[in-house]
């Protein structure tokens, strides 16, 4: 059980799917986190950071722009007795310099009415611009700057945001990307409320009320 103050993202199916891949010995012998330096970008309540620590990471660093998320992650790591270093800041800015063997991210990816990202409302946990890619594209572009040679990045998002665009974005920065896992789930309350908007933009089919969650991995060759 994790503490989750109001305005902090609740770990749900996308977080679990990414956690399962991170721990998977089928995907990587020993899992992705064991014996590695891990960075969790946009940590929320710290669910992925704590999962990495439990999976045997040698060091775990978590970053979030939200002060409430930073406080929640710090408290959760202490309550569970897991060593996690927590920084407040925008994506990779607080960790410029160090290199990590594994970067994990479950960023906001729900298409929104406008490109303006909310800063002080709960919607900041999911709003990601008109196509849902505002933060995804920034993460793909910036991750090589913090990834060690031979390191991996694991990202989870909805296929509504276009999986191929993410694969292409990771390929363009010199990483070797692939789809590692998929899961089909019903729309949650936010996606359901925006279904008409998503249909109008051609992001989903008429009447579609489910989405495919996708975990993508990419390696620094």
């Amino acid at each position: 059980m994790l503490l989750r103050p109001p305005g902090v993202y609740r770990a749900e199916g996308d977080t679990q799917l990414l956690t399962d891949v991170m721990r998977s010995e089928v995907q990587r012998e020993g899992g992705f986190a064991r014996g590695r330096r891990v960075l969790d970008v946009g940590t929320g309540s710290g669910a992925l950071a704590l999962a990495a620590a439990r999976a045997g990471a040698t060091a775990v660093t978590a970053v979030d722009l939200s002060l409430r998320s930073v406080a929640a992650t710090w408290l959760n790591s202490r309550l569970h007795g897991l060593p996690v270093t927590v920084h407040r800041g925008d994506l990779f800015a607080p960790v410029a310099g160090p290199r990590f063997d594994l970067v994990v991210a479950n960023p906001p990816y729900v298409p929104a009415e406008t490109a303006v990202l909310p800063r002080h409302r709960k919607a900041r946990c999911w709003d990601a611009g008109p196509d849902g890619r505002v933060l995804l594209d920034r993460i793909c572009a910036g991750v090589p700057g913090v990834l060690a040679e031979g390191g991996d990045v694991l990202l989870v998002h909805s296929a509504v945001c276009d999986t191929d665009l993410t694969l292409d974005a990771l390929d363009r920065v010199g990483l070797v990307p692939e789809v590692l896992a998929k899961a089909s789930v019903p729309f949650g309350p936010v996606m359901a409320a925006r279904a008409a908007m998503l249909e109008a933009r051609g992001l989903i089919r008429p009447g579609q009320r489910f989405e495919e969650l996708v975990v993508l991995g990419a390696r620094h060759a």
Side-chain angles (χ1 to χ4, degrees):
M1 178 70 78
L2 298 179
L3 295 177
R4 190 185 63 84
V8 174
Y9 179 70
R10 181 194 299 275
E12 297 186 357
D14 47 6
T15 301
Q16 187 60 54
L17 185 63
L18 181 50
T19 298
D20 291 344
V21 170
M22 181 172 63
R23 293 172 173 167
S24 172
E25 298 199 15
V26 174
Q27 301 287 355
R28 184 180 188 277
E29 186 176 354
F32 282 92
R34 182 171 300 280
R36 307 180 92 190
R37 298 159 295 175
V38 179
L39 172 65
D40 177 15
V41 182
T43 190
S45 63
L48 289 172
L50 271 62
R54 290 193 181 98
T58 57
V60 181
T61 301
V63 174
D64 205 293
L65 187 60
S66 162
L67 181 58
R68 290 185 182 187
S69 294
V70 168
T73 299
W74 188 90
L75 284 170
N76 283 324
S77 67
R78 271 57 187 176
L79 287 171
H80 288 263
L82 296 169
V84 175
T85 301
V86 190
H87 298 287
R88 184 188 184 195
D90 183 35
L91 297 184
F92 306 113
V95 291
R99 297 279 173 158
F100 299 88
D101 306 303
L102 174 65
V103 176
V104 296
N106 178 10
Y109 54 74
V110 176
E113 289 285 353
T114 73
V116 178
L117 299 182
R119 286 291 304 274
H120 305 293
R121 293 185 289 113
K122 191 174 182 180
R124 67 184 174 187
C125 297
W126 50 75
D127 278 5
D131 58 1
R133 298 198 57 86
V134 170
L135 291 165
L136 279 169
D137 288 336
R138 290 184 60 206
I139 290 171
C140 291
V143 73
V146 299
L147 203 58
E149 185 175 349
D152 294 283
V153 55
L154 297 176
L155 287 169
V156 63
H157 66 75
S158 171
V160 169
C161 306
D162 197 326
T163 304
D164 287 339
L165 288 179
T166 305
L167 292 169
D168 291 344
L170 292 167
D171 180 71
R172 282 197 304 272
V173 295
L175 304 182
V176 182
E178 61 180 322
V179 174
L180 298 178
K182 298 179 180 180
S184 183
V185 299
F187 279 176
V190 177
M191 290 286 283
R194 298 180 183 181
M197 179 192 75
L198 298 175
E199 288 180 5
R201 293 180 182 173
L203 296 174
I204 62 172
R205 301 185 303 274
Q208 179 181 333
R209 295 299 181 267
F210 67 91
E211 61 181 324
E212 185 176 68
L213 299 177
V214 184
V215 175
L216 300 98
R219 170 155 292 190
H220 193 301

